[in-house]
């Protein structure tokens, strides 16, 4: 399928020649089998010079996506038919930026791996390491401060999909918002960590719902709406967790008119951090790739925010304009 446009060198896991270090490494294996995972780890340890690692994850199963990123995937496709277009995209990036991934791309890869680690820990009944969330947030703050929000958004959408893409986008948008508003460092970090952890409850949502390639039906949507409360429960007993972080995790889907969830808070009970986080969350959701729709332009996404007067705080939406539309 790939030839003659690409030079393909097929190998079986466990029988790989590590001498070839150029190009893109493609991995098509069942990541649910630990013997395959161990073979992949061994192979990657011998291929230090390969920077692009493209994993085929059948049907985009969430736990396999997490495993792929944990192993070092830089890109993921859902079927073999998506490989050709993805390779063409990778080649275009390489021509534009050289053979090594740029700093922003490396940051998104590292952050996606950290998200994969957090989600995997929760799936296996382990506790959340808040220092991982702090590390992710610091990476994103530093990247956006150096390279700008647009570069971050472009690379997140280029390299990552699904829940990880959304979390990376929300954190980037929230951090960009805070930096543009001139927040002091501690407040930038507080909002950033709340954004990093805001969807942690999705780690307990059934995979059949989380991985569904189509829109959710009403019953599935009700289950999905449990994720803020689940996230709050996962975090609330962690020693030293900031109450404002917990507030952001539980209430990022609350609206000023009381129509949000899970607590239907009135405007007077919705904190400033939550108001900022909600705007960032909605904007990121609109501009991200979904299996059932193309990403919306930043201009169109911002217009939708402006049309949500009564649900969102309009002065904050107006302050968000420069962040939303900056080149």
């Amino acid at each position: 399928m790939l030839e003659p446009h690409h030079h393909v060198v097929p190998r079986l896991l466990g029988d790989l020649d590590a001498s070839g270090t150029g190009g893109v490494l493609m991995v098509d294996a069942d990541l649910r089998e630990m013997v395959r995972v161990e073979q992949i780890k061994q192979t990657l340890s011998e291929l230090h010079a390969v920077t692009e690692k493209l994993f085929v994850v059948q049907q985009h199963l969430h736990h396999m996506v997490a495993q792929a990123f944990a192993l070092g995937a830089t890109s993921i496709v859902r079927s073999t038919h998506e490989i050709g277009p993805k390779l063409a995209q990778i080649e275009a990036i390489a021509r534009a930026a050289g053979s090594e991934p740029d700093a922003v791309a490396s940051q998104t890869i590292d952050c996606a791996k950290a998200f994969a680690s957090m989600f995997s820990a929760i799936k296996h009944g382990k506790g959340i390491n808040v220092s991982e969330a702090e590390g992710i947030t610091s990476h994103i703050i530093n990247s956006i401060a150096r390279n700008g929000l647009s570069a971050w958004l472009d690379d997140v959408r280029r390299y990552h999909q699904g829940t990880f893409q959304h979390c990376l986008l929300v954190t980037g948008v929230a951090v960009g918002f805070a930096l543009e508003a001139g927040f002091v460092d501690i407040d930038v970090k507080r909002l950033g960590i709340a954004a990093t952890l805001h969807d942690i409850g999705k780690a307990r949502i059934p995979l059949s719902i989380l991985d569904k390639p189509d829109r959710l039906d009403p019953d599935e949507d009700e289950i999905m709406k449990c994720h803020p409360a689940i996230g709050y429960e996962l975090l609330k007993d962690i020693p030293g967790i900031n109450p404002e972080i917990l507030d952001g995790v539980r209430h990022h889907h609350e609206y000023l008119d009381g129509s949000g969830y899970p607590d239907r808070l009135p405007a007077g009970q919705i904190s400033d951090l939550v108001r900022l986080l909600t705007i960032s969350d909605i904007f990121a959701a609109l501009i991200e790739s979904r299996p059932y729709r193309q990403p919306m332009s930043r201009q169109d996404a911002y217009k939708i925010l402006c049309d949500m007067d009564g649900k969102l705080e309009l002065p904050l939406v107006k302050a968000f304009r420069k962040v939303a539309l900056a080149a």
Side-chain angles (χ1 to χ4, degrees):
M1 180 173 60
L2 296 175
E3 293 176 333
H5 302 292
H6 303 275
H7 176 57
V8 180
V9 182
R11 293 286 188 271
L12 293 176
L13 275 174
D15 186 30
L16 282 169
D17 177 7
S19 60
T21 56
V24 177
L25 177 67
M26 293 194 301
V27 178
D28 187 1
D30 190 343
L31 302 182
R32 294 167 292 189
E33 297 183 12
M34 289 311 299
V35 64
R36 301 290 177 240
V37 171
E38 292 303 318
Q39 288 173 325
I40 292 169
K41 287 181 180 178
Q42 178 61 34
T43 299
L44 294 182
S45 71
E46 299 171 3
L47 294 173
H48 303 292
V50 177
T51 58
E52 291 290 346
K53 303 173 185 70
L54 178 61
F55 279 59
V56 181
V57 179
Q58 297 297 335
Q59 299 182 12
H60 213 43
L61 296 174
H62 191 75
H63 61 288
M64 292 178 67
V65 173
Q67 182 68 273
F69 280 127
L71 287 168
T74 56
S75 299
I76 286 177
V77 293
R78 289 176 292 176
S79 71
T80 54
H81 294 288
E82 296 179 2
I83 293 174
K86 178 61 75 172
L87 286 176
Q89 185 182 55
I90 289 171
E91 288 176 342
I93 296 167
R95 284 194 298 270
S99 59
E100 295 293 327
D102 62 28
V104 181
S106 296
Q107 293 277 11
T108 68
I109 291 164
D110 290 342
C111 289
K113 290 178 183 177
F115 269 116
S117 175
M118 286 197 299
F119 273 68
S120 179
I122 294 169
K123 280 290 183 187
H124 291 89
K126 299 177 182 177
I128 298 171
N129 186 347
V130 176
S131 65
E132 279 189 310
E134 292 173 344
I136 293 170
T137 305
S138 294
H139 275 307
I140 296 174
I141 291 171
N142 293 336
S143 181
I144 292 173
R146 285 196 307 267
N147 305 295
L149 179 61
S150 290
W152 177 261
L153 298 182
D154 289 345
D155 274 282
V156 169
R157 290 187 292 189
R158 180 180 297 144
Y159 283 97
H160 306 297
Q161 296 88 18
T163 301
F164 301 129
Q165 181 191 82
H166 179 68
C167 291
L168 289 165
L169 287 175
V170 174
T171 305
V173 170
V175 165
F177 198 175
L179 291 172
E180 176 63 31
F183 285 13
V184 297
D185 290 349
I186 192 171
D187 289 334
V188 174
K189 187 174 182 180
R190 186 180 295 117
L191 178 60
I193 293 173
T196 296
L197 292 170
H198 83 288
D199 269 352
I200 199 71
K202 286 183 178 178
R204 290 279 175 85
I205 298 298
L207 295 174
S208 60
I209 294 175
L210 203 60
D211 292 332
K212 187 175 180 179
D214 304 310
R215 291 185 181 276
L216 301 181
D217 65 34
D219 289 339
E220 293 167 335
D221 191 52
E222 285 303 310
I223 294 173
M224 182 65 86
K225 285 181 177 179
C226 294
H227 78 267
I230 294 172
Y232 174 83
E233 292 298 321
L234 288 170
L235 293 168
K236 68 181 178 66
D237 293 326
I238 295 177
I241 189 77
N242 190 301
E244 290 181 279
I245 305 300
L246 292 175
D247 184 34
V249 170
R250 185 175 181 94
H251 295 132
H252 63 275
H253 284 291
E254 300 286 355
Y255 290 140
L256 300 182
D257 63 1
S259 65
Y261 63 89
D263 298 318
R264 301 183 69 85
L265 294 183
Q269 294 181 26
I270 299 177
S271 69
D272 290 340
L273 181 143
V274 169
R275 296 176 191 220
L276 293 163
L277 182 56
T278 300
I279 290 170
S280 302
D281 185 36
I282 295 170
F283 183 77
L286 293 171
I287 66 171
E288 72 183 74
S289 300
R290 295 283 177 93
Y292 50 83
R293 65 160 172 80
Q294 292 296 310
M296 191 175 292
S297 73
R298 289 166 70 173
Q299 291 80 6
D300 289 343
Y302 182 67
K303 184 177 184 304
I304 287 179
L305 292 180
C306 293
D307 291 339
M308 294 180 69
D309 188 18
K311 292 182 178 293
L312 305 177
E313 186 174 338
L314 192 56
L316 282 180
V317 172
K318 288 180 178 178
F320 184 68
R321 185 178 189 278
K322 188 172 181 180
V323 180
L325 304 182

